[in-house]
Amino acid sequence: MAAILLGVSGSAACFKAAALASALTQQGHEVQVVMTAAATEFVGPLQFSCLTGKATLVDEFHPEDPSGMDHISLARASDLLVIVPTTANTLGLLAAGLAPNLLGSLALAFGATKPRLWVPAMNPEMWNNPAVQRNVQILRADGWQQVGPTCGLTACGEMGDGRMVEVEQVIAAITAALQS
Ligand SMILES: Cc1cc2nc3c(=O)[nH]c(=O)nc-3n(C[C@H](O)[C@H](O)[C@H](O)COP(=O)(O)O)c2cc1C
């Protein structure tokens, strides 16, 4: 069983991250959730704490670790980082190597040798925007594993690319990444 860092950014697909946290925990993994402030507008941190049995982290400046450096200790202690869902904004900061929040700091501190997965979810116009596609290419070149998106009805009611894949597909990708 693995120590999994589950990053959650602010998308209408956040409810799928709750289902993922539940399934991974039931499989016996240790799941530590780190949310962006925007993500907490969609699903409360307490929901994830209930599902994982671990305090959900949001604020870099109110850490759990006595050293004050959650982003370093968690990055070191974890086997895999997965960001579900990944917004266009969080994709942009990952591509740029920015760390304006705990999730960004963690992603940088996590390094590039352990598996890093990202699971996009956004409106089709956003997904097809050249700036977003440019960032997708950067993450690929940086060794991030992309899971989805798929074509279908997105939460905003539009059909097209950008719909987040189902939880089962994310679990399959995580399982494969942990075995490789
Ligand atoms: C109702 C609603 C749904 C949203 N859904 C998405 C989404 O699915 N994907 C996305 O990239 N942004 C979405 N956004 C915009 C993000 O929440 C916004 O860009 C936010 O700044 C992202 O911050 P974060 O990346 O730090 O979580 C949505 C905003 C609202 C109000």
Side-chain angles (χ1 to χ4, degrees):
M1 290 304 116
I4 295 175
L5 269 176
L6 171 56
V8 184
S9 58
S11 153
C14 279
F15 69 98
K16 292 185 179 177
L20 177 67
S22 173
L24 291 172
T25 305
Q26 285 179 50
Q27 286 181 3
H29 296 297
E30 275 194 38
V31 181
Q32 174 64 63
V33 176
V34 177
M35 304 178 81
T36 66
T40 66
E41 298 285 337
F42 294 88
V43 178
L46 184 59
Q47 176 69 78
F48 286 101
S49 303
C50 292
L51 294 169
T52 63
K54 287 178 181 291
T56 301
L57 302 175
V58 180
D59 185 349
E60 195 162 21
F61 298 102
H62 291 91
E64 286 285 308
D65 191 299
S67 74
M69 287 190 268
D70 280 348
H71 58 297
I72 305 294
S73 51
L74 285 173
R76 283 187 188 146
S78 304
D79 302 307
L80 177 146
L81 168 63
V82 59
I83 304 182
V84 184
T86 310
T87 60
N89 179 64
T90 290
L91 165 64
L93 70 87
L94 294 174
L98 298 176
N101 55 23
L102 179 57
L103 182 55
S105 297
L106 259 175
L108 290 178
F110 196 75
T113 54
K114 296 183 283 189
R116 295 168 297 165
L117 285 68
W118 71 287
V119 184
M122 66 194 76
N123 163 277
E125 291 290 355
M126 292 172 78
W127 177 253
N128 289 315
N129 187 292
V132 169
Q133 287 303 311
R134 196 164 56 235
N135 288 333
V136 170
Q137 295 308 324
I138 291 173
L139 254 61
R140 279 188 192 150
D142 285 353
W144 284 79
Q145 186 184 333
Q146 183 184 331
V147 186
T150 184
C151 185
L153 188 64
T154 54
C156 54
E158 277 180 37
M159 284 292 288
D161 295 329
R163 178 184 160 89
M164 191 188 133
V165 297
E166 296 309 319
V167 169
E168 293 71 24
Q169 198 172 328
V170 182
I171 293 171
I174 290 171
T175 305
L178 287 171
Q179 285 167 353
S180 63

